Amino acid sequence: MAPPIEGKVLEGDWPQAGAVRWLRLEDGHYVIERILLNEPERFEYQIWVFTNAAGRAVEQILGVQTFTEVGAGETRFDWTYSIKPKNAFARWIVNSRRDAFDAYLSGATERMVAAVRTKAEG
């Protein structure tokens, strides 16, 4: 999946729980994202309505990010996600493409860390 390059809030106040936004991806496709929980220590979200190839197999992705203070000025960041396939055949497709999803989310993690560093520095 390509990274998002543009977003538009469709419902609610971003980034509050319940808010929904449309995200256009770098490849021209889009997804819909909903925030399920946004607290200082935990962030949960849902992604669905994939217009790219993932949409043929994936019903939704649920993600959880946790932030745990581990020392003065240090925070542990954990990001887990689950992919819900549309059916049993789709499960096979999703499992065979797990590397593509991991690469997408790793890139998203790197972009998020860069944004946090930029904000902290200036």
Side-chain angles (χ1 to χ4, degrees):
M1 288 190 348
I5 60 169
E6 177 185 15
K8 179 181 178 185
V9 176
L10 302 174
E11 293 178 19
D13 295 319
W14 198 265
Q16 302 304 315
V20 176
R21 71 179 177 173
W22 165 91
L23 291 173
R24 184 166 63 93
L25 305 176
E26 194 173 69
D27 63 7
H29 289 279
Y30 71 87
V31 298
I32 304 293
E33 179 181 43
R34 173 183 291 131
I35 295 179
L36 304 174
L37 179 72
N38 189 358
E39 297 179 350
E41 299 84 21
R42 190 175 179 92
F43 180 77
E44 298 179 11
Y45 63 94
Q46 170 192 29
I47 301 172
W48 79 107
V49 186
F50 302 85
T51 63
N52 56 13
R56 291 191 285 271
V58 176
E59 182 175 318
Q60 68 178 345
I61 295 175
L62 297 173
V64 176
Q65 299 173 350
T66 58
F67 308 88
T68 307
E69 188 174 332
V70 293
E74 294 182 25
T75 301
R76 177 186 167 124
F77 169 69
D78 291 298
W79 188 348
T80 58
Y81 66 93
S82 60
I83 301 171
K84 182 177 181 185
K86 289 187 172 182
N87 54 47
F89 179 70
R91 182 177 316 281
W92 178 82
I93 293 170
V94 167
N95 287 336
S96 70
R97 300 290 298 151
R98 187 64 115 179
D99 289 347
F101 286 105
D102 289 343
Y104 170 75
L105 291 170
S106 293
T109 302
E110 291 167 12
R111 289 187 299 278
M112 187 174 81
V113 168
V116 168
R117 282 191 177 134
T118 298
K119 186 175 181 178
E121 292 170 355

mmCIF file of all heavy atoms in Angstrom, residues 8-24:
data_model
loop_
_atom_site.group_PDB
_atom_site.id
_atom_site.type_symbol
_atom_site.label_atom_id
_atom_site.label_comp_id
_atom_site.label_asym_id
_atom_site.label_seq_id
_atom_site.Cartn_x
_atom_site.Cartn_y
_atom_site.Cartn_z
ATOM 1 N N LYS A 8 -8.998 14.211 4.494
ATOM 2 C CA LYS A 8 -10.129 15.110 4.701
ATOM 3 C C LYS A 8 -11.025 14.505 5.774
ATOM 4 O O LYS A 8 -11.450 13.350 5.665
ATOM 5 C CB LYS A 8 -10.914 15.278 3.406
ATOM 6 C CG LYS A 8 -12.118 16.174 3.555
ATOM 7 C CD LYS A 8 -12.883 16.296 2.254
ATOM 8 C CE LYS A 8 -14.110 17.162 2.475
ATOM 9 N NZ LYS A 8 -14.944 17.211 1.276
ATOM 10 N N VAL A 9 -11.310 15.274 6.810
ATOM 11 C CA VAL A 9 -12.171 14.797 7.889
ATOM 12 C C VAL A 9 -13.608 14.729 7.378
ATOM 13 O O VAL A 9 -14.124 15.708 6.820
ATOM 14 C CB VAL A 9 -12.066 15.707 9.129
ATOM 15 C CG1 VAL A 9 -13.042 15.253 10.205
ATOM 16 C CG2 VAL A 9 -10.641 15.713 9.660
ATOM 17 N N LEU A 10 -14.246 13.582 7.579
ATOM 18 C CA LEU A 10 -15.623 13.382 7.145
ATOM 19 C C LEU A 10 -16.619 13.513 8.282
ATOM 20 O O LEU A 10 -17.752 13.937 8.071
ATOM 21 C CB LEU A 10 -15.775 11.995 6.502
ATOM 22 C CG LEU A 10 -14.869 11.703 5.308
ATOM 23 C CD1 LEU A 10 -15.030 10.247 4.866
ATOM 24 C CD2 LEU A 10 -15.154 12.661 4.171
ATOM 25 N N GLU A 11 -16.198 13.114 9.487
ATOM 26 C CA GLU A 11 -17.057 13.169 10.680
ATOM 27 C C GLU A 11 -16.206 13.484 11.882
ATOM 28 O O GLU A 11 -15.068 13.038 11.987
ATOM 29 C CB GLU A 11 -17.725 11.812 10.958
ATOM 30 C CG GLU A 11 -18.723 11.342 9.980
ATOM 31 C CD GLU A 11 -19.262 9.955 10.348
ATOM 32 O OE1 GLU A 11 -19.132 9.527 11.517
ATOM 33 O OE2 GLU A 11 -19.791 9.301 9.452
ATOM 34 N N GLY A 12 -16.767 14.226 12.828
ATOM 35 C CA GLY A 12 -16.119 14.453 14.111
ATOM 36 C C GLY A 12 -14.985 15.458 14.058
ATOM 37 O O GLY A 12 -14.763 16.134 13.057
ATOM 38 N N ASP A 13 -14.297 15.545 15.192
ATOM 39 C CA ASP A 13 -13.159 16.447 15.347
ATOM 40 C C ASP A 13 -11.884 15.622 15.408
ATOM 41 O O ASP A 13 -11.676 14.857 16.358
ATOM 42 C CB ASP A 13 -13.297 17.268 16.633
ATOM 43 C CG ASP A 13 -14.481 18.214 16.592
ATOM 44 O OD1 ASP A 13 -14.701 18.832 15.528
ATOM 45 O OD2 ASP A 13 -15.192 18.333 17.608
ATOM 46 N N TRP A 14 -11.060 15.761 14.402
ATOM 47 C CA TRP A 14 -9.815 15.007 14.328
ATOM 48 C C TRP A 14 -8.817 15.584 15.303
ATOM 49 O O TRP A 14 -8.696 16.791 15.377
ATOM 50 C CB TRP A 14 -9.238 15.074 12.900
ATOM 51 C CG TRP A 14 -8.235 14.001 12.678
ATOM 52 C CD1 TRP A 14 -6.889 14.110 12.818
ATOM 53 C CD2 TRP A 14 -8.495 12.660 12.326
ATOM 54 N NE1 TRP A 14 -6.295 12.913 12.567
ATOM 55 C CE2 TRP A 14 -7.266 11.999 12.260
ATOM 56 C CE3 TRP A 14 -9.662 11.937 12.073
ATOM 57 C CZ2 TRP A 14 -7.157 10.663 11.940
ATOM 58 C CZ3 TRP A 14 -9.555 10.610 11.752
ATOM 59 C CH2 TRP A 14 -8.311 9.981 11.690
ATOM 60 N N PRO A 15 -8.162 14.806 16.130
ATOM 61 C CA PRO A 15 -8.073 13.351 16.184
ATOM 62 C C PRO A 15 -8.832 12.739 17.367
ATOM 63 O O PRO A 15 -8.311 11.874 18.052
ATOM 64 C CB PRO A 15 -6.572 13.140 16.319
ATOM 65 C CG PRO A 15 -6.128 14.267 17.215
ATOM 66 C CD PRO A 15 -7.025 15.423 16.843
ATOM 67 N N GLN A 16 -10.036 13.174 17.614
ATOM 68 C CA GLN A 16 -10.821 12.644 18.727
ATOM 69 C C GLN A 16 -11.452 11.300 18.358
ATOM 70 O O GLN A 16 -11.730 11.035 17.193
ATOM 71 C CB GLN A 16 -11.910 13.638 19.124
ATOM 72 C CG GLN A 16 -11.380 15.002 19.530
ATOM 73 C CD GLN A 16 -10.361 14.917 20.657
ATOM 74 O OE1 GLN A 16 -10.548 14.207 21.637
ATOM 75 N NE2 GLN A 16 -9.265 15.643 20.505
ATOM 76 N N ALA A 17 -11.715 10.474 19.373
ATOM 77 C CA ALA A 17 -12.356 9.181 19.152
ATOM 78 C C ALA A 17 -13.681 9.392 18.433
ATOM 79 O O ALA A 17 -14.429 10.317 18.742
ATOM 80 C CB ALA A 17 -12.571 8.466 20.477
ATOM 81 N N GLY A 18 -13.945 8.555 17.450
ATOM 82 C CA GLY A 18 -15.154 8.647 16.649
ATOM 83 C C GLY A 18 -14.969 9.417 15.352
ATOM 84 O O GLY A 18 -15.789 9.302 14.439
ATOM 85 N N ALA A 19 -13.915 10.196 15.241
ATOM 86 C CA ALA A 19 -13.673 10.961 14.023
ATOM 87 C C ALA A 19 -13.332 10.015 12.870
ATOM 88 O O ALA A 19 -12.674 8.995 13.056
ATOM 89 C CB ALA A 19 -12.549 11.966 14.237
ATOM 90 N N VAL A 20 -13.790 10.381 11.685
ATOM 91 C CA VAL A 20 -13.568 9.582 10.482
ATOM 92 C C VAL A 20 -12.948 10.495 9.427
ATOM 93 O O VAL A 20 -13.363 11.637 9.258
ATOM 94 C CB VAL A 20 -14.901 9.011 9.947
ATOM 95 C CG1 VAL A 20 -14.701 8.264 8.634
ATOM 96 C CG2 VAL A 20 -15.546 8.111 10.988
ATOM 97 N N ARG A 21 -11.951 9.966 8.724
ATOM 98 C CA ARG A 21 -11.361 10.750 7.638
ATOM 99 C C ARG A 21 -11.098 9.879 6.417
ATOM 100 O O ARG A 21 -10.942 8.664 6.517
ATOM 101 C CB ARG A 21 -10.084 11.456 8.069
ATOM 102 C CG ARG A 21 -8.895 10.560 8.297
ATOM 103 C CD ARG A 21 -7.682 11.363 8.693
ATOM 104 N NE ARG A 21 -6.558 10.488 8.991
ATOM 105 C CZ ARG A 21 -5.343 10.911 9.240
ATOM 106 N NH1 ARG A 21 -5.083 12.212 9.255
ATOM 107 N NH2 ARG A 21 -4.368 10.061 9.496
ATOM 108 N N TRP A 22 -11.080 10.538 5.292
ATOM 109 C CA TRP A 22 -10.740 9.961 4.003
ATOM 110 C C TRP A 22 -9.274 10.258 3.768
ATOM 111 O O TRP A 22 -8.824 11.376 4.000
ATOM 112 C CB TRP A 22 -11.623 10.629 2.957
ATOM 113 C CG TRP A 22 -11.238 10.463 1.535
ATOM 114 C CD1 TRP A 22 -11.650 9.473 0.697
ATOM 115 C CD2 TRP A 22 -10.404 11.314 0.747
ATOM 116 N NE1 TRP A 22 -11.120 9.660 -0.555
ATOM 117 C CE2 TRP A 22 -10.346 10.802 -0.546
ATOM 118 C CE3 TRP A 22 -9.684 12.477 1.026
ATOM 119 C CZ2 TRP A 22 -9.608 11.383 -1.562
ATOM 120 C CZ3 TRP A 22 -8.946 13.062 0.015
ATOM 121 C CH2 TRP A 22 -8.917 12.523 -1.261
ATOM 122 N N LEU A 23 -8.498 9.256 3.355
ATOM 123 C CA LEU A 23 -7.079 9.443 3.074
ATOM 124 C C LEU A 23 -6.782 9.039 1.636
ATOM 125 O O LEU A 23 -7.041 7.894 1.240
ATOM 126 C CB LEU A 23 -6.212 8.586 3.998
ATOM 127 C CG LEU A 23 -6.172 8.976 5.460
ATOM 128 C CD1 LEU A 23 -5.404 7.929 6.260
ATOM 129 C CD2 LEU A 23 -5.547 10.334 5.630
ATOM 130 N N ARG A 24 -6.269 9.978 0.863
ATOM 131 C CA ARG A 24 -5.813 9.647 -0.488
ATOM 132 C C ARG A 24 -4.383 9.149 -0.367
ATOM 133 O O ARG A 24 -3.543 9.773 0.282
ATOM 134 C CB ARG A 24 -5.873 10.857 -1.410
ATOM 135 C CG ARG A 24 -5.499 10.490 -2.852
ATOM 136 C CD ARG A 24 -5.871 11.583 -3.830
ATOM 137 N NE ARG A 24 -5.147 12.814 -3.582
ATOM 138 C CZ ARG A 24 -4.003 13.148 -4.176
ATOM 139 N NH1 ARG A 24 -3.446 12.316 -5.041
ATOM 140 N NH2 ARG A 24 -3.418 14.295 -3.911
#
